[in-house]
Amino acid sequence: MDPLGIALLAFSALTKYQANDDASERREAFRRRMEAYQRTKVAESSNATEQLLAKQTPEARGAELAEINADRGQSLRDTVGAAQAFDAPQIAGKLSGDYRAGQEANATRVAERTRRAIEQLATMGAPQEQAEAFGKRFGTAATRVDGANSAMENVTRGYAADIEDVRPDPFLGMVSQLGTAVGQGMLSNAGALASENAKIDAGVNNGQGYEDAAGNLYNSGVSTRQDARIQKQLGKALSLWGR
């Protein structure tokens, strides 16, 4: 076996392995980045959903409804108070005690009716306003979840294409193929040469070999394979001349 050919084949195999390993590492890097991005988008979706659900607990809904009632009531009181101040009659002159008492009693009745009306209006309108607030929160959460899902789908598709497109380094592949071809050629030539040498050795001195059992040359002129080749060629030449 030709040691240089074997070394060349080993180098070619190592080069091919390195090229494939580098490609595998690039694919793995793409996959890790894809998974990291997916985790951020899943976290965004989960956060949006949790924020929506946090506002839908009985305690949160009760607190929200009470706040809406209070806000609506205050808004109605401000509006009514401004209107009453604008519409209050301007009475000149001295007023009798009975008149003032009657006016105060009437004002008290009006204030009480106004208070009850404000409470009823605030209570009646609060559920609708709460439903509108929930609709806005739901729309915001749905938009965030849909946006995160769409972004994750598009980016995942891009990463998948990048992973699919990863190929081993073409230069290293070419070096590996060339080295394999040359190494195989060298081993093939070495095998052919060994076979030829074996045939030459087997045919030296009519199959007797170079030396006898005592180590003496059968033919002092034939001590190497080159001598054996010359002897064989001379034999062929003499046979052509009938000798």
Side-chain angles (χ1 to χ4, degrees):
M1 299 292 287
D2 188 344
L4 181 58
I6 294 175
L8 192 54
L9 286 178
F11 169 77
S12 300
L14 180 61
T15 302
K16 183 177 181 180
Y17 171 81
Q18 184 63 50
N20 291 334
D21 188 59
D22 290 344
S24 179
E25 289 182 357
R26 293 200 301 275
R27 293 189 190 98
E28 181 63 18
F30 279 129
R31 187 190 64 78
R32 287 195 298 267
R33 288 197 290 270
M34 178 179 68
E35 289 184 350
Y37 184 82
Q38 289 173 337
R39 284 194 294 269
T40 61
K41 291 306 174 183
V42 168
E44 288 181 13
S45 297
S46 298
N47 185 47
T49 303
E50 289 172 0
Q51 289 180 0
L52 176 65
L53 294 178
K55 288 287 188 178
Q56 292 307 113
T57 63
E59 295 80 6
R61 287 179 61 81
E64 181 184 46
L65 187 61
E67 184 178 356
I68 292 174
N69 274 328
D71 291 343
R72 288 177 60 83
Q74 184 62 49
S75 177
L76 288 170
R77 282 191 293 272
D78 292 343
T79 301
V80 171
Q84 287 176 340
F86 181 79
D87 294 336
Q90 301 294 326
I91 300 176
K94 186 177 181 181
L95 303 176
S96 66
D98 292 340
Y99 181 82
R100 285 197 301 271
Q103 287 294 99
E104 290 176 359
N106 184 59
T108 300
R109 289 193 298 271
V110 171
E112 180 61 20
R113 287 198 302 269
T114 302
R115 183 187 66 79
R116 290 197 300 269
I118 288 174
E119 288 181 352
Q120 291 173 357
L121 289 172
T123 302
M124 290 170 57
Q128 177 62 31
E129 189 169 333
Q130 186 179 41
E132 292 175 358
F134 169 75
K136 291 178 181 179
R137 288 196 300 270
F138 182 84
T140 300
T143 299
R144 290 177 60 188
V145 171
D146 288 344
N149 290 340
S150 296
M152 183 168 59
E153 181 180 353
N154 293 334
V155 173
T156 298
R157 189 182 303 112
Y159 272 122
D162 290 338
I163 292 173
E164 181 67 24
D165 290 340
V166 171
R167 296 290 185 273
D169 189 319
F171 176 75
L172 292 180
M174 180 187 69
V175 170
S176 174
Q177 292 178 354
L178 181 60
T180 299
V182 173
Q184 289 177 343
M186 293 175 68
L187 290 180
S188 177
N189 292 337
L193 180 60
S195 177
E196 180 184 356
N197 288 338
K199 290 180 180 179
I200 292 174
D201 292 339
V204 172
N205 294 316
N206 297 319
Q208 296 179 35
Y210 294 97
E211 300 175 347
D212 59 16
N216 299 314
L217 292 172
Y218 284 110
N219 187 337
S220 59
V222 182
S223 60
T224 64
R225 290 194 181 102
Q226 182 63 27
D227 295 338
R229 289 191 182 93
I230 295 173
Q231 182 189 48
K232 185 177 181 180
Q233 291 171 355
L234 287 174
K236 287 183 178 180
L238 291 174
S239 66
L240 292 175
W241 291 96
R243 295 183 182 180

